[in-house]
Amino acid sequence: MSGEVKSYRLNKPMPWREFKAMPNDIQYGYIKLLKEKYSVPNTAIEKMLGASNGPLARHMKGIGYNIAHME
């Protein structure tokens, strides 16, 4: 209850490293927001994050979320 308070800029692009540093549920919410608001595929999100092709779906699956069903 007296721990550090963190805030996240979910309305702006962010680097891959910053994205991966967020808690898993915030990562999922960020990707879900982008997909629902802009109807973008994983490859476009990866480009925005500055990641190479393919790591987003693997990363999300690795932390327990399958974003393939959102495509």
Side-chain angles (χ1 to χ4, degrees):
M1 292 199 157
S2 61
E4 180 182 354
V5 175
K6 291 193 175 202
S7 62
Y8 303 99
R9 311 174 289 123
L10 301 181
N11 59 345
K12 296 187 178 194
M14 67 180 69
W16 180 242
R17 177 178 282 152
E18 185 179 332
F19 170 77
K20 286 180 29 176
M22 294 189 303
N24 296 348
D25 60 329
I26 304 292
Q27 290 178 25
Y28 183 76
Y30 183 64
I31 298 303
K32 185 176 180 182
L33 173 76
L34 291 173
K35 288 182 165 289
E36 289 176 355
K37 189 171 184 177
Y38 301 107
S39 300
V40 293
N42 292 349
T43 53
I45 296 171
E46 288 170 337
K47 185 176 181 180
M48 184 260 322
L49 291 169
S52 58
N53 290 340
L56 181 62
R58 286 191 303 274
H59 172 72
M60 295 302 287
K61 186 176 180 184
I63 62 172
Y65 297 105
N66 183 357
I67 61 172
H69 71 278
M70 293 181 174
E71 298 279 10

